[in-house]
Amino acid sequence: MNVSRRRNETTQQLDIPFQNRDQDEKLPLLKKTPFCGNDYGQRSPWRKYAPLLTILFILISGNHISTSLLPSTPISNPIQISPDIPEIFSHHSTTNKASSFKIVYIPRPKDNHYTPIVTVGRGRNQFDDKRKRRRDKNKKIHRNSRDSNRNIQQNIHDNMKKPLPCKLRVSPQPVILMSLGRSGSGSTWQIMGNLSGEETPSDEYTGSSTKKSAAFFRKLSKQNDQNWMLETMCERQKLYPNAGMVGFKWKPFESIFSTPAKNGLQLAASSRKPGMKVVRLRRNLLDVVISRTKHKDKIQAHCAKGDEKCIQKHLEAGTGIELNTDKLLALLRSYKKQEDAVDELLVELGVPAVHISFEKAYYGTNANEWIRVCDFLEICTKKKKLTMTGIHAIMGHEGTSNPYHNVTLKNYVAVKEVLHDTEFEALLH
């Protein structure tokens, strides 16, 4: 095989004699493209720009190859040229492996000639492999999410055909208090119960930790229990018939995105009067981190009013805390991403929910946050006279957090530097 390499010459089109029409089936044909024509030899108006487009493609693809190395003389046996192309240009590749080159011969039946078209592709490298892995991972996530949504819709459709295991009463109001751990859910549940007339016991029904929550929903998945939330609310309405509200606390770990969890939320979204409602509580994420660090010493979760010994122990444990500044930003962003994803899920499923702030509810100058909860749940007996003084009067727990971070944090200056010019700078107080 003779291949002529002529430097400093422009690439020329080859006119190769059409020696045998039976070779049509053996030669690779370029399928329909905008500038190379089609399988039937019909020319495209873009055909005259093929050499220019080929050169542009070589430059854009990142392979700096001299166009003078392309074959520019007639070749007696065009089929044998393709295997040698990678060897010719392998040392010009900008990647670790040789780029992939291929010459495709387009038949021209009118004048019994072939026109070669050179196609160039980048060689595979570590960046291409990363892109492929990332693309495959995104496809898998999208496929799993799509299948999960289809399963939820199918389950809802199937459940509509089946008789419900129980029927909710108008009162007490079924409520789900949803918040991260160490966000004040215990005190919030206690206050809401007192505002409704009777406090009911609260429990983290779906699990108090990531492992327990995952095990809870895994068990529901095996049992194929689609009405678990409805059955739970019915049972609690029977236990506390004179209360204003019943329900449970739900810590939204990663398991909230599982199929059984979504089934329960979708059931809440589809229920009407009487229906299930969600109170969504969010707290300053830096305070969440501080509270979790503080309670690693396994001190009592809450202090009752008047328990001076417990209160003093909490204040001592909450003073001079040292946070790991190397992981602080990553931890805060992880919490924020998790919280935002939960809010988006509630909106996506159409779950009736009221969103309240821990800081406004406990340290605000007015009781507007609690009034919003009362309006949403329609359970408060003395809403018109509600003030912050009244809220503090019905609280069963005593506040045990220092109001200033420069007192709480031992490395306050280092934390302030880490959070400076970030989305979390305003969390310091």
Side-chain angles (χ1 to χ4, degrees):
M1 180 187 65
N2 296 321
V3 179
S4 176
R5 306 181 190 177
R6 298 182 180 179
R7 297 186 178 273
N8 303 323
E9 293 181 5
T10 57
T11 304
Q12 301 175 0
Q13 264 195 348
L14 296 181
D15 283 341
I16 304 171
F18 194 153
Q19 297 174 351
N20 188 352
R21 287 199 180 260
D22 294 337
Q23 291 183 358
D24 261 359
E25 299 178 357
K26 300 179 182 179
L27 291 176
L29 298 178
L30 189 65
K31 298 299 180 182
K32 296 180 180 180
T33 59
F35 60 91
C36 297
N38 56 29
D39 295 349
Y40 307 102
Q42 298 174 353
R43 296 192 179 188
S44 166
W46 293 92
R47 190 183 186 90
K48 59 184 178 181
Y49 301 109
L52 177 61
L53 291 174
T54 301
I55 295 172
L56 288 176
F57 183 80
I58 292 172
L59 296 176
I60 293 173
S61 65
N63 298 281
H64 306 289
I65 303 167
S66 173
T67 57
S68 62
L69 294 178
L70 296 175
S72 57
T73 56
I75 301 170
S76 59
N77 190 355
I79 301 178
Q80 297 178 0
I81 188 174
S82 198
D84 283 346
I85 293 298
E87 296 179 6
I88 293 174
F89 294 111
S90 61
H91 61 282
H92 291 280
S93 174
T94 59
T95 61
N96 294 333
K97 297 183 180 180
S99 297
S100 57
F101 293 82
K102 184 171 65 176
I103 292 184
V104 180
Y105 296 89
I106 308 301
R108 299 192 315 201
K110 292 183 179 180
D111 52 3
N112 296 340
H113 281 69
Y114 287 101
T115 299
I117 300 297
V118 179
T119 62
V120 183
R122 289 187 57 181
R124 291 183 59 189
N125 55 28
Q126 55 179 341
F127 300 105
D128 295 326
D129 293 339
K130 286 182 179 179
R131 291 191 201 99
K132 185 178 184 302
R133 287 195 299 269
R134 191 183 305 115
R135 184 168 59 251
D136 293 342
K137 181 180 179 181
N138 291 338
K139 286 182 179 179
K140 184 177 179 181
I141 293 173
H142 176 72
R143 183 169 59 253
N144 292 341
S145 176
R146 180 188 59 197
D147 295 343
S148 175
N149 290 335
R150 286 179 179 175
N151 291 337
I152 292 172
Q153 293 174 2
Q154 185 62 38
N155 290 335
I156 295 170
H157 180 72
D158 294 342
N159 289 336
M160 291 176 65
K161 299 179 181 179
K162 299 178 183 178
L164 294 176
C166 64
K167 186 176 181 181
L168 289 175
R169 302 175 183 179
V170 176
S171 180
Q173 172 64 50
V175 176
I176 301 165
L177 177 57
M178 188 174 292
S179 68
L180 284 179
R182 310 313 315 166
S183 295
S185 59
S187 298
T188 303
W189 184 270
Q190 182 257 328
I191 292 173
M192 289 194 305
N194 286 331
L195 289 175
S196 68
E198 180 183 341
E199 181 186 352
T200 58
S202 66
D203 62 333
E204 293 161 344
Y205 182 67
T206 59
S208 58
S209 65
T210 304
K211 290 183 179 180
K212 290 181 179 180
S213 181
F216 175 83
F217 287 109
R218 188 162 53 245
K219 182 179 179 181
L220 289 177
S221 181
K222 290 181 180 179
Q223 295 175 351
N224 196 24
D225 188 356
Q226 309 295 335
N227 297 307
W228 64 273
M229 188 183 293
L230 178 62
E231 293 172 353
T232 303
M233 293 299 185
C234 287
E235 290 176 2
R236 302 196 175 195
Q237 280 186 332
K238 292 178 182 179
L239 287 174
Y240 309 100
N242 299 322
M245 54 167 272
V246 294
F248 55 86
K249 297 186 295 185
W250 187 341
K251 288 185 177 179
F253 298 109
E254 189 67 25
S255 55
I256 195 175
F257 301 100
S258 64
T259 300
K262 287 183 177 180
N263 286 336
L265 291 174
Q266 187 65 56
L267 185 63
S270 60
S271 63
R272 295 295 179 265
K273 287 188 176 181
M276 293 173 275
K277 297 182 179 181
V278 173
V279 176
R280 180 76 171 101
L281 173 65
R282 292 185 66 160
R283 186 183 183 183
N284 181 324
L285 292 177
L286 182 59
D287 288 331
V288 172
V289 175
I290 292 172
S291 182
R292 290 187 177 185
T293 306
K294 168 184 168 181
H295 284 81
K296 281 183 179 180
D297 296 334
K298 297 183 179 180
I299 61 176
Q300 192 174 337
H302 304 285
C303 291
K305 281 188 174 181
D307 191 347
E308 297 298 333
K309 185 178 179 180
C310 177
I311 294 172
Q312 185 62 31
K313 187 175 180 179
H314 269 258
L315 291 175
E316 290 176 359
T319 303
I321 295 175
E322 187 170 1
L323 297 181
N324 185 347
T325 54
D326 294 335
K327 299 181 179 180
L328 182 58
L329 267 181
L331 188 61
L332 290 173
R333 285 177 178 141
S334 174
Y335 287 165
K336 185 177 185 302
K337 182 178 179 181
Q338 180 181 350
E339 289 281 76
D340 291 343
V342 172
D343 289 346
E344 291 173 3
L345 178 64
L346 295 178
V347 173
E348 178 185 348
L349 298 179
V351 180
V354 60
H355 297 256
I356 62 173
S357 163
F358 175 89
E359 286 70 34
K360 292 180 180 179
Y362 289 94
Y363 300 107
T365 57
N366 53 55
N368 288 344
E369 290 294 280
W370 298 108
I371 293 174
R372 290 176 57 238
V373 172
C374 289
D375 290 338
F376 177 69
L377 299 179
E378 301 176 353
I379 58 173
C380 298
T381 56
K382 299 179 181 179
K383 185 185 69 173
K384 292 183 179 179
K385 299 180 181 180
L386 201 57
T387 62
M388 286 305 296
T389 303
I391 292 296
H392 289 299
I394 63 175
M395 284 177 61
H397 301 150
E398 189 72 39
T400 57
S401 300
N402 288 315
Y404 304 107
H405 283 148
N406 57 350
V407 177
T408 305
L409 298 175
K410 182 179 179 180
N411 56 340
Y412 173 78
V413 175
V415 172
K416 186 176 181 179
E417 290 177 356
V418 169
L419 300 183
H420 182 62
D421 284 341
T422 69
E423 64 271 32
F424 304 109
E425 185 176 9
L427 298 183
L428 280 168
H429 55 77

